[in-house]
Amino acid sequence: MKKTIFKNSTGGKRGIKFSGSGIDQKPVQELIPENCLKKDGVNLPELTELDVIRYFINLSRQNFSVDTAFYPLGSCTMKYNPKINEQLAALSGFTGIHPEQPEKYSQGALELMYELQKSLAEITGMHKVSLQPAAGAQGEFAGMLIVKKYFESKAEKRTKIIIPDSAHGTNPASAKMCGFDVLKVKSNSRGQVDINELKTLLGNDVAAVMMTNPNTLGIFEEEILEISKIAKEHDILLYYDGANLNAIMGITNPGLMGFDIVHVNLHKTFSAPHGGGGPGSGPIGVTKELTEYLPVPLAEFDGKKYYFDYDFKNSIGKLKPFYGNFGIFVKAYAYILMMGRDGLRKVSEDAVLNANYLKEKLKNDYLLPYDLVCMHEFVFSGDIQKKQGVNTVGIAKRLMDFNIHPPTVYFPLIVSESMMIEPTETETKETLDNFIDIMKQIAEQIKTNPGQVAESPINSPVSRVDEVAASRKPVLKYSGSHI
Ligand SMILES: *Cc1c(COP(=O)(O)O)cnc(C)c1O
């Protein structure tokens, strides 16, 4: 581990020297009451300006990002974020407005939100979209609140939500947080919802079925129309987790599949950066029947001016201060305009083509549990390599030695030693071929010298970390001994 900046400190060095202010100096004790004074020095590192610059530049170079190398993170669409998005979001007209500013002085921002709502409604096949939720998980939460309120207003007591076993963990968590019981439905041998099992679970105590399509195995649910038909026969609502929208844009949409509520992740499909805890945005769209339940406000247009509409009869209320994460709206809207209708369709086509290319080229080296045409991502199992002495963590760490970010591992939970690979549409054939080559080399190394692979990573700033200790015993408090 590199030294911290505190350990690099040598007494007496300075970065900046102020020239005299012309004001008489007085001891601090004369200006601040004794009991308010810090007793034991401020303990700041003392270094030259150049020391500080080098320290932070070198630290920043230890970051890995989609801007530095290949990043095949499945079910997250960690795609390249076009730089023009940043430039547009940084325009002073956007950064300088205040959320309390009167609507007549925020017409441009309102227009952008209105147009974004409309574009997302068209892309998802929904009637109206609210931009309130701060991320996909909050969109799900909003969706579950809508489901709840909808059945309450019909005086129906429905307490259960059906969720496939391949779902992202936020799905059952959101349902549970809204007070629902979660029923799990198994996947069949084709990695899709087992419709016969689903039928046994449907009843008039079920409020909604939450699905991701393509699902988290990267497989399109072939029986989705049948599923939505039988759900509707029981008056059950269908919720669409839109995290995998990158696979279907402009080709089909959740509305056509029979879904009633949809969230999209602007920070995934629509190229706003995410990761590192940065802000997200998870707009939620609904059918006409559910519009009155949407979280407010929505941006509206009366033919002359744009305004915020809070007037929704059964709204679940607000989820976010003000209007949502506006900077993300600018980036997503810029991306949608830049791509256009045809461009968005091409995004999905290329994302699917790239994933299938990798899958086909590597499926003789790694176990492919569901050997179907995939959508934008697919899931390998590391079971063959595990028998040879290296588990999926080992493969992931070895990739780091080749300057490639590991894919999502150990998710979805229904595939043992899973590796979920999503190249996205922006990668070139050369990058994909390089990845194929490296994955083949790793498989070969595991066959011939598993002990060596198990020591990876050897080229990264830190080698194997104790991940369990890091999550179970995080050191969150400042303490002199850690610096
Ligand atoms: C990312 C993701 C979510 C959660 O979205 P956030 O924006 O991270 O809150 C839900 N479902 C799936 C399938 C996802 O990939």
Side-chain angles (χ1 to χ4, degrees):
M1 194 66 125
K2 288 262 185 330
K3 279 194 203 167
T4 65
I5 195 161
F6 287 87
K7 294 253 162 73
N8 281 329
S9 168
T10 348
K13 289 199 181 133
R14 278 176 171 230
I16 300 167
K17 201 169 164 195
F18 295 104
S19 57
S21 61
I23 299 171
D24 286 346
Q25 285 191 17
K26 281 190 188 160
V28 72
Q29 289 79 354
E30 283 180 24
L31 301 167
I32 296 172
E34 180 74 28
N35 64 346
C36 296
L37 280 173
K38 200 169 183 319
K39 302 259 171 328
D40 47 355
V42 284
N43 186 28
L44 289 175
E46 294 174 70
L47 299 105
T48 66
E49 177 173 328
L50 186 55
D51 286 340
V52 175
I53 296 288
R54 287 194 180 141
Y55 180 79
F56 283 107
I57 293 291
N58 283 317
L59 261 191
S60 75
R61 284 178 164 192
Q62 290 179 18
N63 276 343
F64 192 98
S65 73
V66 72
D67 288 352
T68 45
F70 186 46
Y71 215 110
L73 269 188
S75 204
C76 241
T77 307
M78 281 280 198
K79 63 188 188 186
Y80 172 69
N81 317 119
K83 296 299 165 259
I84 188 156
N85 290 352
E86 300 299 325
Q87 287 168 14
L88 293 173
L91 288 176
S92 61
F94 290 132
T95 57
I97 43 176
H98 191 280
E100 300 274 26
Q101 209 160 297
E103 284 168 3
K104 68 173 169 182
Y105 299 125
S106 315
Q107 286 293 298
L110 270 151
E111 180 178 357
L112 186 144
M113 291 172 70
Y114 175 78
E115 291 295 335
L116 179 60
Q117 289 170 192
K118 264 196 358 197
S119 304
L120 294 174
E122 184 179 338
I123 293 166
T124 57
M126 291 291 110
H127 180 65
K128 284 267 183 200
V129 169
S130 164
L131 302 174
Q132 273 273 304
Q138 205 185 24
E140 293 169 22
F141 180 67
M144 289 299 105
L145 288 178
I146 290 175
V147 169
K148 203 170 171 184
K149 205 150 182 197
Y150 170 76
F151 285 113
E152 273 170 16
S153 67
K154 296 200 339 170
E156 280 188 47
K157 193 165 164 46
R158 294 188 181 235
T159 53
K160 294 179 180 149
I161 305 284
I162 298 175
I163 303 177
D165 59 2
S166 60
H168 193 269
T170 49
N171 291 187
S174 303
K176 201 84 199 161
M177 279 177 73
C178 293
F180 288 111
D181 294 325
V182 173
L183 298 178
K184 190 150 87 173
V185 56
K186 275 206 307 276
S187 301
N188 60 22
S189 58
R190 292 173 69 75
Q192 299 167 39
V193 167
D194 185 328
I195 199 160
N196 291 323
E197 190 181 284
L198 180 73
K199 282 181 185 159
T200 67
L201 300 175
L202 297 177
N204 56 10
D205 54 349
V206 175
V209 181
M210 280 183 108
M211 287 180 66
T212 312
N213 194 20
N215 63 31
T216 64
L217 292 162
I219 296 171
F220 192 86
E221 297 279 351
E222 295 161 309
E223 295 186 284
I224 187 61
L225 293 178
E226 179 66 13
I227 292 173
S228 60
K229 186 169 144 256
I230 56 175
K232 296 228 147 78
E233 282 164 12
H234 290 83
D235 287 329
I236 293 169
L237 294 173
L238 246 79
Y239 183 92
Y240 182 90
D241 176 332
N244 290 343
L245 194 66
N246 212 47
I248 60 158
M249 278 187 298
I251 300 165
T252 180
N253 68 50
L256 291 172
M257 299 174 205
F259 284 91
D260 302 285
I261 312 174
V262 176
H263 86 252
V264 295
N265 308 61
L266 298 187
H267 48 287
K268 294 183 176 177
T269 317
F270 297 99
S271 89
H274 77 297
S281 178
I284 178 165
V286 294
T287 55
K288 194 163 186 185
E289 194 187 2
L290 296 176
T291 298
E292 66 194 70
Y293 298 90
L294 279 175
V296 288
L298 266 71
E300 284 297 344
F301 183 56
D302 66 9
K304 281 201 190 103
K305 59 177 189 331
Y306 296 92
Y307 63 99
F308 283 120
D309 188 356
Y310 287 86
D311 195 15
F312 285 72
K313 199 166 78 200
N314 274 315
S315 171
I316 57 162
K318 279 183 73 65
L319 297 163
K320 249 324 247 120
F322 300 112
Y323 320 112
N325 280 329
F326 182 75
I328 309 293
F329 305 160
V330 181
K331 294 176 196 183
Y333 188 55
Y335 181 73
I336 290 171
L337 284 189
M338 181 168 67
M339 302 312 294
R341 253 192 203 84
D342 296 343
L344 288 177
R345 183 187 172 108
K346 188 95 173 73
V347 162
S348 290
E349 288 171 353
D350 288 350
V352 170
L353 180 64
N354 282 356
N356 278 286
Y357 181 66
L358 290 186
K359 169 178 68 73
E360 288 303 309
K361 290 279 185 182
L362 287 170
K363 73 178 191 190
N364 294 330
D365 302 274
Y366 295 87
L367 185 67
L368 179 64
Y370 301 101
D371 191 358
L372 305 171
V373 173
C374 69
M375 299 298 288
H376 65 308
E377 65 190 0
F378 60 94
V379 178
F380 278 143
S381 160
D383 276 353
I384 300 173
Q385 285 71 24
K386 190 175 183 183
K387 284 201 197 88
Q388 295 168 342
V390 178
N391 62 9
T392 284
V393 169
I395 298 168
K397 301 289 182 193
R398 187 69 184 139
L399 275 169
M400 293 167 67
D401 282 334
F402 289 96
N403 199 31
I404 287 181
H405 195 287
T408 296
V409 293
Y410 297 102
F411 179 82
L413 305 175
I414 56 172
V415 172
S416 65
E417 295 294 316
S418 51
M419 279 176 271
M420 172 192 279
I421 299 173
E422 179 183 5
T424 78
E425 67 283 359
T426 44
E427 300 297 341
T428 61
K429 181 161 178 297
E430 289 74 19
T431 303
L432 301 183
D433 285 337
N434 183 45
F435 178 68
I436 291 163
D437 191 44
I438 289 165
M439 286 294 280
K440 282 181 182 290
Q441 274 185 53
I442 293 174
E444 193 55 37
Q445 285 169 356
I446 292 172
K447 256 189 234 158
T448 53
N449 196 349
Q452 192 199 0
V453 177
E455 281 168 25
S456 294
I458 48 174
N459 299 332
S460 54
V462 287
S463 53
R464 291 267 176 132
V465 289
D466 184 343
E467 285 158 2
V468 176
S471 76
R472 294 289 144 80
K473 296 184 196 154
V475 181
L476 301 174
K477 219 170 144 189
Y478 166 82
S479 138
S481 64
H482 292 102
I483 54 168

